[in-house]
Amino acid sequence: MRVLFLTTEVFQQQCQILPHVEELVISMEHVRYCKIESYKNATIGVIRIPETVGKRKKNFIFGCYLTEHDIIFLEEENELYQCWNGMYEHLEEVENPFQYLLMMLEELVATDIYSLQKIEKKMNGFEEVLLKNRELPFFEFFTKYRKCLSELHFYYEHLIFSFFLCTKI
């Protein structure tokens, strides 16, 4: 199995003979959610991780192109590659690219737990303060976190569906 990390531009130049390259490149330009599409000879996907997760200051977006024996990741930053370096030793345990993608997504989700716990702790602390002083900016605080949690809910729903598709391929 071969694992490659390329920028979108390099992928488009070096892999133009592969089927469905244009679909993936176009999907990378307008990412609103996670999606995976399966074709006869390849599977393409785009993952968007909201900025509200982890230490990210902006949305983290990457694409993937999977064949029976290869997986190509498209990213403009090195965040995914750094994650891969930590998982390199487990590469021999993986039987196909789909299992590897699942491992990579699992690793990314595992890092979200700490951020979600921090959000919960802030909300619990503010609830306690509100119970003591009802004149604080309740609406602004909870609207901010409701928006954040709503985006995370949407992200995890699409990620679960992507996991499901990978296990069925």
Side-chain angles (χ1 to χ4, degrees), residues 10 20 27 34 38-39 61 66 68 82 84 91 103 113 121 125 128 132 136-137 142-143 146 157 161 163:
V10 171
H20 313 294
S27 293
C34 305
S38 185
Y39 299 97
I61 297 168
L66 296 93
E68 190 176 344
Q82 291 170 1
W84 180 75
L91 194 57
M103 282 178 61
I113 292 170
K121 186 176 180 180
E128 294 297 322
K132 294 176 185 169
L136 291 175
F142 278 102
T143 301
R146 186 192 57 76
E157 286 285 321
F161 184 69
F163 279 143

Side-chain angles (χ1 to χ4, degrees), residues 79-134:
E79 187 170 345
L80 199 61
Y81 182 74
Q82 291 170 1
C83 180
W84 180 75
N85 275 336
M87 296 173 53
Y88 183 75
E89 63 222 28
H90 302 292
L91 194 57
E92 60 197 36
E93 301 168 14
V94 178
E95 295 177 16
N96 62 56
F98 299 99
Q99 281 184 324
Y100 191 78
L101 176 61
L102 289 172
M103 282 178 61
M104 185 72 80
L105 293 173
E106 183 180 1
E107 183 69 23
L108 290 169
V109 168
T111 61
D112 296 349
I113 292 170
Y114 303 111
S115 299
L116 295 172
Q117 287 173 338
K118 285 181 184 178
I119 291 171
E120 184 178 18
K121 186 176 180 180
K122 283 181 185 178
M123 290 183 76
N124 286 339
F126 198 71
E127 279 177 6
E128 294 297 322
V129 171
L130 276 176
L131 290 172
K132 294 176 185 169
N133 183 357
R134 301 212 183 251

Side-chain angles (χ1 to χ4, degrees), residues 5-77:
F5 293 86
L6 304 173
T7 63
T8 305
E9 183 180 337
V10 171
F11 174 72
Q12 195 170 16
Q13 292 169 356
Q14 293 183 2
C15 301
Q16 60 189 1
I17 62 168
L18 296 174
H20 313 294
V21 167
E22 280 306 307
E23 289 97 321
L24 182 54
V25 170
I26 290 169
S27 293
M28 290 289 293
E29 293 171 0
H30 308 286
V31 181
R32 293 192 49 124
Y33 53 86
C34 305
K35 71 175 184 175
I36 292 184
E37 298 176 282
S38 185
Y39 299 97
K40 181 180 178 182
N41 46 8
T43 299
I44 62 173
V46 178
I47 306 295
R48 176 188 170 272
I49 302 173
E51 66 185 61
T52 53
V53 177
K55 300 173 186 170
R56 295 179 188 85
K57 302 294 183 208
K58 60 180 183 172
N59 292 329
F60 173 54
I61 297 168
F62 69 91
C64 54
Y65 185 97
L66 296 93
T67 64
E68 190 176 344
H69 302 289
D70 300 319
I71 184 166
I72 302 170
F73 288 107
L74 284 67
E75 67 170 330
E76 305 307 317
E77 324 244 336

